[in-house]
Amino acid sequence: MATDITLRTKIELGVVPTHIKFVGGLVPDEAKKFPREADGKLTVVAEMERIIAISRVKITSAQIPSFPGADPADINEMISGLKDLGLIVHLIMMVGGADPMNPADEDAVVAMLTESLNAAKAHGITHVASTSLEEWMKEGAVRKEGADLDAAIAQLAKVHARAYNDAGIESSSIEAWHFEFLRDIEFQTFTDLGRVSQVVAATNAIIGKPFFKAMVDAAHCGDSALSIPENEALIAQLADSDELGLFHASAKTTRGCLSTDDGWIGALLTACLRTGKTQHVFVELFHHEDPAFEGLRATDPNHGIDTRDGRSYTQTVADGLEATARRLNNLVARGIIK
């Protein structure tokens, strides 16, 4: 299908292709190789090609997970393949098997981050993100408060500032690093925009400039304990300090069709774009049967609902792009963004 919706803003509209599943789609196998389709094409590249073919709006970018230890040749092929499709590539850096809040794990965490940062530099990538605030789905983890929370923030600031320096980001292509918090169950301590904003501020204080940003993911905000007005106030504060980052248009709890978001995407997207500081918007859906999220579904069955209503995931993402493009164009029409 030829694109017939013209995006009337310079906001970068892209996709996080998590709907192809982490297991079998995005995560490297035991040989550190990425999944491929029958014709040998990398699954993530093939899927982005399919989405581009049916999308009614031009897709500008793709944000893909970066896993430490993945085969370098496959990484190069993936990034080059996405660029060949005309996409700007963003990396979201994954950290596993170590606790970023634990000083004893500092070297391991920095090594994983530095590996991904070096890959970003090698490919001229300008924006990176990470979920490196705590260890995902860590058994027995409890929410930190008081002095324990203060210590965690200080350690996270130290770890990420060290990775910034060790990777030589200052003289590289990388312009910003966006921190993503996750919902409870996945994380325990950094589960809302207010808490991640404290890490952003502490890290920027060390390096002396607002390089680190807070990502606003509508799904995670919706699943946090903070209301829409509370999130809107934090977004304004982050914008004032130049620490507001990119936006994920993703539906809370179900993580499926954007029609299940209960108003969070519209409210927070408008709040972010109104500031003039958010310049990247990504549509992100998750597959309701991804084996990687079996534990999350067991804890919250609403995460495993099939919201496609008879469509393929490719079409459901394309519909999300259309809905988001309409929102962006109507924000232009209303004079809220340029």
Side-chain angles (χ1 to χ4, degrees):
M1 179 186 298
T3 55
D4 63 352
I5 300 174
T6 300
L7 198 61
R8 298 186 174 89
T9 174
K10 292 183 178 179
I11 299 296
E12 191 178 301
L13 178 61
V15 171
V16 188
T18 44
H19 62 283
I20 65 174
K21 300 181 182 178
F22 274 85
V23 176
L26 295 171
V27 178
D29 61 18
E30 292 181 358
K32 307 301 182 183
K33 306 288 287 185
F34 286 105
R36 294 178 183 268
E37 303 207 332
D39 62 0
K41 185 173 290 187
L42 289 167
T43 302
V44 66
V45 176
E47 176 61 8
M48 286 308 305
E49 189 172 15
R50 285 188 286 266
I51 294 173
I52 289 170
I54 67 171
S55 177
R56 296 185 62 189
V57 62
K58 178 178 172 57
I59 304 169
T60 306
S61 55
Q63 187 184 48
I64 57 173
S66 174
F67 294 94
D71 182 78
D74 273 15
I75 295 172
N76 292 342
E77 181 182 347
M78 183 181 297
I79 295 174
S80 297
L82 293 170
K83 287 183 175 180
D84 288 344
L85 294 176
L87 298 170
I88 298 169
V89 178
H90 297 236
L91 293 185
I92 182 160
M93 303 180 293
M94 315 301 284
V95 172
D99 182 358
M101 297 183 288
N102 185 351
D105 289 346
E106 180 176 323
D107 289 347
V109 173
V110 170
M112 287 185 277
L113 291 171
T114 300
E115 182 180 334
S116 292
L117 291 167
N118 285 335
K121 288 166 53 182
H123 289 276
I125 289 171
T126 56
H127 287 263
V128 298
S130 69
T131 56
S132 52
L133 299 178
E134 56 185 284
E135 196 169 358
W136 186 68
M137 298 283 285
K138 185 177 181 180
E139 187 176 352
V142 296
R143 186 172 177 85
K144 296 183 185 296
E145 303 285 359
D148 289 338
L149 175 61
D150 292 342
I153 292 170
Q155 180 61 25
L156 288 171
K158 180 185 177 186
V159 164
H160 291 93
R162 179 180 160 190
Y164 174 94
N165 290 318
D166 287 4
I169 291 180
E170 183 67 33
S171 57
S172 76
S173 61
I174 303 173
E175 298 173 1
W177 182 339
H178 307 255
F179 286 147
E180 179 177 10
F181 71 91
L182 303 182
R183 61 171 293 178
D184 59 357
I185 304 173
E186 295 181 274
F187 280 1
Q188 285 73 43
T189 295
F190 294 96
T191 56
D192 64 58
L193 191 57
R195 288 203 163 190
V196 73
S197 69
Q198 295 180 65
V199 180
V200 170
T203 314
N204 283 333
I206 294 175
I207 67 168
K209 63 180 181 180
F211 172 82
F212 291 89
K213 316 285 184 182
M215 180 193 303
V216 178
D217 182 303
H220 299 319
C221 289
D223 281 320
S224 77
L226 302 182
S227 67
I228 286 178
E230 287 171 324
N231 277 282
E232 289 171 329
L234 286 164
I235 287 167
Q237 293 171 23
L238 285 162
D240 286 344
S241 60
D242 199 17
E243 294 174 329
L244 179 63
L246 60 82
F247 184 86
H248 276 180
S250 192
K252 74 184 186 73
T253 308
T254 70
R255 307 309 303 275
C257 178
L258 301 194
S259 64
T260 67
D261 82 317
D262 297 334
W264 284 84
I265 292 173
L268 299 192
L269 178 64
T270 300
C272 285
L273 296 183
R274 189 188 299 275
T275 69
K277 296 296 178 69
T278 294
Q279 296 297 314
H280 309 86
V281 175
F282 292 91
V283 170
E284 182 185 39
L285 277 67
F286 285 74
H287 197 293
H288 69 287
E289 294 178 326
D290 189 341
F293 297 100
E294 183 177 350
L296 182 55
R297 290 193 298 272
T299 306
D300 185 352
N302 288 319
H303 183 73
I305 295 174
D306 184 354
T307 62
R308 292 174 296 170
D309 197 25
R311 297 164 292 176
S312 67
Y313 267 104
T314 304
Q315 185 61 58
T316 310
V317 171
D319 290 348
L321 284 162
E322 177 182 349
T324 305
R326 297 293 192 194
R327 288 187 185 277
L328 294 172
N329 283 346
N330 281 314
L331 289 173
V332 173
R334 293 156 61 198
I336 293 173
I337 64 173
K338 295 181 180 181

